[in-house]
Amino acid sequence: SGKVKEQSMVCRCCVYCHVKFVQPCLVELLGSAFFVFIGCLSVIHNEMGTGLLGPALAHGMALGLIVAMLGNISGGHFNPAVSLAAMLTGGLSLMMLLPYWFSQLCGGLIGAVLAKEVSSKERFQNTSGAAFVTVQEPGQVMRAVVMEFILTTLLCLTVCMSTINQRTKSPLAPFAIGCAVTVAILTGGTISGACMNPARAFGPAIMANHWKFHWIYWAGPLLASLLVGVLIRLFLGDENTRLILKYQ
Amino acid sequence: SGKVKEQSMVCRCCVYCHVKFVQPCLVELLGSAFFVFIGCLSVIHNEMGTGLLGPALAHGMALGLIVAMLGNISGGHFNPAVSLAAMLTGGLSLMMLLPYWFSQLCGGLIGAVLAKEVSSKERFQNTSGAAFVTVQEPGQVMRAVVMEFILTTLLCLTVCMSTINQRTKSPLAPFAIGCAVTVAILTGGTISGACMNPARAFGPAIMANHWKFHWIYWAGPLLASLLVGVLIRLFLGDENTRLILKYQ
Amino acid sequence: SGKVKEQSMVCRCCVYCHVKFVQPCLVELLGSAFFVFIGCLSVIHNEMGTGLLGPALAHGMALGLIVAMLGNISGGHFNPAVSLAAMLTGGLSLMMLLPYWFSQLCGGLIGAVLAKEVSSKERFQNTSGAAFVTVQEPGQVMRAVVMEFILTTLLCLTVCMSTINQRTKSPLAPFAIGCAVTVAILTGGTISGACMNPARAFGPAIMANHWKFHWIYWAGPLLASLLVGVLIRLFLGDENTRLILKYQ
Amino acid sequence: SGKVKEQSMVCRCCVYCHVKFVQPCLVELLGSAFFVFIGCLSVIHNEMGTGLLGPALAHGMALGLIVAMLGNISGGHFNPAVSLAAMLTGGLSLMMLLPYWFSQLCGGLIGAVLAKEVSSKERFQNTSGAAFVTVQEPGQVMRAVVMEFILTTLLCLTVCMSTINQRTKSPLAPFAIGCAVTVAILTGGTISGACMNPARAFGPAIMANHWKFHWIYWAGPLLASLLVGVLIRLFLGDENTRLILKYQ
């Protein structure tokens, strides 16, 4: 009977572990893979006629639907920068940050691999496999960093305010998050590529072996996460989220 | 008086049958007919300027609105692959699977017939009546199958997670499902046609009498349904849906 | 004191009349005016590049937002065919049908007048003032009527199922209704113009004095209303809406 | 102990002031900055292919997402004309009007400065920095004023009816407000530029030093606010909002 109890204990532990750890990470991996797969192919197979509109809608709607579908399990980040901002504003425990990042980068890599597999070699090379090649000269770097910084601020703010901060939580969050991505690409697509997501940048960069100015797509978004953390914790958050200026 | 009771019994039985069986099947037929009608015409009458964007939005919004309008009655599948996935994840009884499939294929056929009727012969022939003609050579087959498989996985996952799995059920489900279709066409339109729906492939194939590589649009989607069933039953489902790793 | 009471009685009567009669009619007039104004200008000032996409999104989003904003007051029809279908399915009292129709036609006329006023003469004449001129020869008439009939069936079904029929009522109704219009224009824009709304056809027809085949845009939509009434009352409606096959 | 109490009193006062005054103004500034930044860049970097569609979607989705994210804190105006209409219909206290206006104009200026910083000089000059240059001759003025007046009426009506007036309050308000902006640009983009927002006009006008007919973008929108105030207070408002025709 002691053995049975022990087994049952192990079992409950397994389930707990699955629900609290494996499932969220799996969901982040799956969602990131879909997002990067869709994002890459919408760029690789973009026709000339509609310019940025196709990729902008594809990226935005893809993120919107994945958040609507899987957000309840993992929080719906699919983006290392968003996970950092969520952790800073109280939407993710510190212990889960690295597992999330790892899952998201793996997901991004899987998405990029699959996108390469289903594309013709010619198309893939013409578009550098949807890696970010907008920035070609040192003179463009500063602008691209600022752009990534501002756009990721908007994205992280949207996620944290509409899914974490109680006072501004909204059932339309997936719609808002999708819009943030679409809008960002229409705004910054020709300046920095409007990546806002290291996982989106990392996978295709490996597949196309394109690392020039790759750091922009880590530095810009992650700095933006820090700003969003500060903004919400000091000024925009509600009574529970704010660290200063509280009753009591 | 016995006769009156009997009549009333027959009557109640009729009503039960109507609500539980006839109405859902009728709704699936009607929705599939509208979806295929709209889908075909958006391809047949697509102007060059906007490439895939027109058909992508037409298919996605059509499915989104039909799910929003009729989903409460039948579950809102309008797609044999989605019905299979729904059955595997507990959203449809096994007994209803074949009637649903039959209704969806009939609906698809009706939609394709109507689309042919209202189109000029010239337009209809130039576009092969919106049948799927993207795949022309054996060399493209593998890619197309993989593409249909991945995209249908996304679609079925969206439907099952946002309308069946309790923990992730969402009032934005119709919006998410519509986005899944739009995004899939922007992503895979030039590789496999992004059908994801045997009913959408079947009707136009009959009307245009085009059967080359038609099996792709059955095999890819139905395999994806199986994967989604496994994924949700084993890993992604909530306590009630999951078959393993349960607290008793 | 009797006089005071009488005055108060008159007053209450006035208020009741305002809330039950004047306000809904005013709202229908206002909404129809905005819808026709936006619809006409999106056609008159459409640039070549994006074909039907601009007018399709403009019409759909306009109706979606007007329904979201004013639907709670009048039911959100802004279309004589929808009002007829709503009346047949129990969403509008018979007594209000003619006042609604009158308000909608007046609104359509006001919208068309304003659209003409703000447009340059040249643009206005090149586009026939956004009147429906798609059908030019008797050979196209049949197709156009069928098209209007099918598309209006979809629109009226969407409105009646998502705002009137209790079982399928949905908070996403304005989104669904907007999608129905966008989708219809992408589908039938080149065949019949995808009007679906006598008020949308009537106003611009007066301003451009274009009456050729004008009857199509009355006959198609109104016949569709009748079909929708029959479909919902006999088959698709819930226990309260259905006239046959009821428990009891 | 008296000193402690006093300190605590001061402190509570600070917090109250932060929540009731600083936070809303900060949010209006931040939202307006994002809106104008996105709006300007979507125009400055618009590619030819898709005409008005890109800027229309960028402006509309940007406003929609910012309202969804921050609307609960400040009411979600980001537009002096909307704030005026909100004040007139009871959604904003008179004391907050000037601080809101000041925040919105500052935000608009910040957005325009940032948009200039990240754009190349050439692009910026070719597009006049997204300032409104549609109206070039006196003959166009009247049309532009009427257009701004009508479109802003629609926008203010949407905001006031779907977020302030209890009877028509809607959870889809951010979606409706975003649609109003997209639709307005598709409708009036070639006539007046479809600004509807003095803050959107003011910032870019400073950066491009373009003041020709600038008054149009103040007069049209602010007059529309007055009309919306009258319309809602006299006719469209519910029992609590209406000033006349009330049951007691």
Side-chain angles (χ1 to χ4, degrees):
Chain A
S1 154
K3 212 175 167 185
V4 168
K5 254 190 192 165
E6 199 183 296
Q7 270 191 336
S8 143
M9 210 59 188
V10 169
C11 189
R12 293 183 74 84
C13 193
C14 264
V15 176
Y16 183 85
C17 178
H18 181 74
V19 171
K20 293 285 174 193
F21 182 83
V22 179
Q23 220 178 36
C25 287
L26 193 66
V27 155
E28 285 292 317
L29 184 144
L30 200 68
S32 305
F34 274 124
F35 177 66
V36 173
F37 177 76
I38 289 166
C40 287
L41 285 177
S42 75
V43 172
I44 295 174
H45 293 266
N46 190 26
E47 289 156 299
M48 290 298 91
T50 54
L52 286 170
L53 209 52
L57 286 175
H59 279 89
M61 286 181 158
L63 191 59
L65 88 90
I66 297 170
V67 171
M69 156 172 81
L70 300 174
N72 273 9
I73 294 179
S74 73
H77 306 161
F78 316 116
N79 183 338
V82 170
S83 290
L84 178 59
M87 192 271 282
L88 292 173
T89 50
L92 186 72
S93 77
L94 177 56
M95 263 182 49
M96 292 298 284
L97 187 62
L98 286 180
Y100 265 48
W101 280 14
F102 183 74
S103 307
Q104 289 155 355
L105 292 175
C106 283
L109 190 54
I110 292 172
V113 169
L114 288 172
K116 187 175 187 179
E117 286 309 308
V118 297
S119 300
S120 67
K121 255 195 183 161
E122 204 193 329
R123 279 266 197 186
F124 185 84
Q125 280 174 341
N126 286 349
T127 55
S128 313
F132 289 91
V133 296
T134 320
V135 183
Q136 294 288 0
E137 293 163 33
Q140 295 172 285
V141 169
M142 198 54 215
R143 266 176 208 156
V145 173
V146 172
M147 202 70 207
E148 287 296 319
F149 178 74
I150 296 178
L151 294 178
T152 314
T153 301
L154 178 65
L155 177 62
C156 290
L157 212 54
T158 307
V159 176
C160 294
M161 293 301 274
S162 67
T163 71
I164 297 170
N165 190 49
Q166 286 300 330
R167 195 179 161 200
T168 50
K169 235 179 182 172
S170 158
L172 289 180
F175 160 82
I177 295 168
C179 281
V181 172
T182 297
V183 149
I185 296 177
L186 289 174
T187 304
T190 55
I191 295 173
S192 70
C195 171
M196 307 174 288
N197 183 344
R200 170 71 181 77
F202 182 67
I206 287 188
M207 297 315 292
N209 200 19
H210 177 95
W211 299 99
K212 208 175 169 191
F213 300 119
H214 182 69
W215 61 269
I216 293 175
Y217 304 104
W218 287 80
L222 291 176
L223 282 176
S225 308
L226 297 179
L227 175 67
V228 168
V230 170
L231 262 180
I232 293 180
R233 285 297 194 182
L234 297 193
F235 303 112
L236 298 176
D238 56 21
E239 183 71 2
N240 294 322
T241 312
R242 222 160 50 223
L243 295 179
I244 57 165
L245 286 167
K246 299 165 74 126
Y247 293 110
Q248 294 245 328
Chain B
S1 155
K3 212 176 167 185
V4 168
K5 254 192 192 164
E6 200 183 292
Q7 270 191 337
S8 143
M9 210 61 188
V10 168
C11 189
R12 293 184 73 86
C13 194
C14 264
V15 176
Y16 184 85
C17 178
H18 180 75
V19 171
K20 293 285 173 194
F21 182 82
V22 178
Q23 220 178 34
C25 287
L26 193 67
V27 155
E28 286 291 319
L29 184 143
L30 200 68
S32 306
F34 274 124
F35 178 66
V36 173
F37 177 75
I38 289 166
C40 288
L41 285 177
S42 75
V43 172
I44 295 174
H45 293 268
N46 190 27
E47 288 157 299
M48 290 299 90
T50 54
L52 287 170
L53 210 50
L57 287 175
H59 278 90
M61 286 181 159
L63 191 58
L65 89 90
I66 297 170
V67 171
M69 156 172 81
L70 300 173
N72 272 10
I73 293 179
S74 73
H77 307 160
F78 316 116
N79 181 339
V82 169
S83 290
L84 179 58
M87 192 271 282
L88 292 174
T89 51
L92 186 72
S93 77
L94 177 56
M95 263 181 48
M96 292 299 284
L97 188 61
L98 285 180
Y100 265 49
W101 281 13
F102 182 74
S103 308
Q104 288 155 357
L105 292 175
C106 283
L109 190 54
I110 293 171
V113 168
L114 288 174
K116 187 174 185 179
E117 287 309 307
V118 298
S119 301
S120 67
K121 255 193 184 163
E122 204 194 328
R123 279 266 196 186
F124 185 84
Q125 280 173 342
N126 286 349
T127 55
S128 310
F132 288 91
V133 295
T134 321
V135 183
Q136 294 289 359
E137 295 163 33
Q140 296 172 283
V141 170
M142 198 56 215
R143 266 178 209 156
V145 174
V146 172
M147 203 69 207
E148 287 297 319
F149 178 74
I150 296 178
L151 294 178
T152 314
T153 302
L154 178 65
L155 176 62
C156 290
L157 213 53
T158 307
V159 176
C160 294
M161 293 302 272
S162 67
T163 69
I164 298 169
N165 189 49
Q166 286 299 330
R167 195 180 162 199
T168 49
K169 233 177 183 173
S170 158
L172 289 180
F175 160 82
I177 294 169
C179 281
V181 171
T182 297
V183 150
I185 295 176
L186 290 174
T187 305
T190 56
I191 295 172
S192 70
C195 172
M196 307 174 289
N197 184 342
R200 169 71 180 77
F202 182 67
I206 288 187
M207 297 315 292
N209 200 20
H210 177 95
W211 298 99
K212 208 175 170 191
F213 300 118
H214 182 68
W215 61 269
I216 293 175
Y217 305 103
W218 287 80
L222 291 176
L223 282 176
S225 307
L226 297 179
L227 175 67
V228 167
V230 171
L231 262 180
I232 292 181
R233 285 297 194 180
L234 297 193
F235 302 111
L236 297 178
D238 57 21
E239 183 71 2
N240 294 321
T241 313
R242 224 158 51 221
L243 295 178
I244 59 167
L245 286 168
K246 298 166 73 125
Y247 296 108
Q248 288 277 315
Chain C
S1 158
K3 212 178 168 184
V4 169
K5 254 189 191 163
E6 199 182 294
Q7 268 192 339
S8 143
M9 211 60 187
V10 168
C11 189
R12 293 183 74 85
C13 194
C14 262
V15 176
Y16 183 85
C17 178
H18 181 74
V19 171
K20 293 285 173 194
F21 182 82
V22 179
Q23 220 178 35
C25 287
L26 193 65
V27 155
E28 285 292 318
L29 184 145
L30 200 66
S32 306
F34 273 124
F35 177 66
V36 173
F37 177 74
I38 290 167
C40 287
L41 285 177
S42 76
V43 172
I44 294 174
H45 293 268
N46 190 27
E47 287 156 301
M48 290 298 89
T50 53
L52 286 170
L53 210 50
L57 287 175
H59 279 90
M61 286 180 158
L63 191 58
L65 89 90
I66 297 169
V67 171
M69 157 172 81
L70 300 174
N72 273 9
I73 293 180
S74 73
H77 307 160
F78 315 116
N79 181 339
V82 170
S83 290
L84 178 59
M87 191 271 284
L88 291 174
T89 51
L92 186 71
S93 77
L94 177 57
M95 263 181 48
M96 293 298 284
L97 188 60
L98 286 180
Y100 265 49
W101 281 13
F102 183 74
S103 307
Q104 290 156 354
L105 292 175
C106 284
L109 189 54
I110 293 171
V113 168
L114 287 173
K116 187 173 186 181
E117 287 308 308
V118 297
S119 301
S120 68
K121 254 192 184 163
E122 205 194 328
R123 280 265 196 188
F124 185 84
Q125 279 173 342
N126 286 348
T127 55
S128 312
F132 289 91
V133 295
T134 320
V135 183
Q136 294 288 358
E137 294 162 34
Q140 296 171 283
V141 169
M142 198 56 214
R143 267 177 206 155
V145 173
V146 172
M147 203 69 207
E148 287 297 318
F149 178 72
I150 297 177
L151 294 177
T152 313
T153 302
L154 179 64
L155 177 62
C156 290
L157 213 53
T158 307
V159 175
C160 293
M161 293 302 272
S162 66
T163 70
I164 296 169
N165 191 49
Q166 286 299 330
R167 194 179 162 201
T168 50
K169 233 179 183 174
S170 159
L172 289 180
F175 160 82
I177 295 168
C179 281
V181 172
T182 297
V183 149
I185 295 176
L186 290 174
T187 304
T190 56
I191 296 172
S192 70
C195 171
M196 308 175 288
N197 184 343
R200 169 72 181 77
F202 182 66
I206 288 189
M207 297 314 293
N209 199 20
H210 177 96
W211 299 98
K212 208 177 170 191
F213 300 119
H214 183 68
W215 60 270
I216 293 175
Y217 305 103
W218 287 79
L222 291 176
L223 282 176
S225 307
L226 297 179
L227 175 68
V228 168
V230 171
L231 262 180
I232 292 181
R233 284 297 194 181
L234 298 193
F235 303 112
L236 298 176
D238 57 22
E239 183 70 2
N240 294 321
T241 313
R242 225 160 48 222
L243 294 179
I244 58 166
L245 287 167
K246 298 167 74 126
Y247 294 109
Q248 290 238 335
Chain D
S1 156
K3 212 176 167 185
V4 168
K5 253 190 192 163
E6 198 183 295
Q7 270 192 337
S8 144
M9 211 59 189
V10 168
C11 188
R12 293 183 74 85
C13 193
C14 264
V15 175
Y16 184 86
C17 178
H18 180 73
V19 170
K20 293 286 174 194
F21 182 82
V22 179
Q23 222 178 35
C25 287
L26 193 66
V27 154
E28 285 292 316
L29 184 145
L30 200 68
S32 305
F34 273 124
F35 177 67
V36 173
F37 177 75
I38 290 167
C40 288
L41 285 177
S42 76
V43 172
I44 295 174
H45 293 266
N46 190 27
E47 290 156 298
M48 291 297 91
T50 52
L52 285 170
L53 210 51
L57 287 174
H59 279 89
M61 286 180 158
L63 191 58
L65 88 90
I66 297 169
V67 171
M69 157 172 81
L70 300 174
N72 272 10
I73 293 179
S74 73
H77 307 161
F78 316 116
N79 182 339
V82 170
S83 290
L84 178 59
M87 192 271 283
L88 292 174
T89 51
L92 185 72
S93 77
L94 177 57
M95 263 182 49
M96 292 298 284
L97 188 61
L98 285 181
Y100 265 49
W101 281 14
F102 183 74
S103 308
Q104 289 156 354
L105 291 175
C106 284
L109 190 53
I110 293 172
V113 169
L114 288 173
K116 187 176 187 180
E117 287 308 308
V118 297
S119 301
S120 67
K121 255 193 184 163
E122 205 193 329
R123 279 265 196 187
F124 185 84
Q125 279 173 342
N126 286 348
T127 54
S128 312
F132 290 91
V133 295
T134 320
V135 183
Q136 293 288 358
E137 294 163 34
Q140 296 171 283
V141 169
M142 199 55 216
R143 267 177 206 156
V145 173
V146 172
M147 202 70 206
E148 288 297 317
F149 178 74
I150 296 178
L151 295 178
T152 313
T153 301
L154 179 64
L155 176 62
C156 290
L157 212 54
T158 308
V159 175
C160 294
M161 292 302 272
S162 67
T163 70
I164 297 170
N165 190 49
Q166 286 300 330
R167 194 177 164 202
T168 50
K169 235 179 181 172
S170 159
L172 289 180
F175 160 82
I177 294 168
C179 280
V181 172
T182 297
V183 149
I185 295 176
L186 290 175
T187 304
T190 55
I191 295 172
S192 70
C195 172
M196 306 175 288
N197 184 343
R200 169 71 181 77
F202 181 66
I206 288 188
M207 296 315 291
N209 200 18
H210 178 96
W211 299 98
K212 209 177 170 190
F213 300 119
H214 182 68
W215 61 270
I216 293 175
Y217 305 104
W218 286 80
L222 291 176
L223 282 176
S225 307
L226 297 179
L227 175 67
V228 168
V230 171
L231 261 180
I232 294 182
R233 285 297 194 180
L234 297 193
F235 303 111
L236 298 177
D238 57 21
E239 182 70 3
N240 294 320
T241 313
R242 223 159 49 222
L243 294 179
I244 57 164
L245 287 168
K246 299 166 74 128
Y247 295 109
Q248 291 270 320

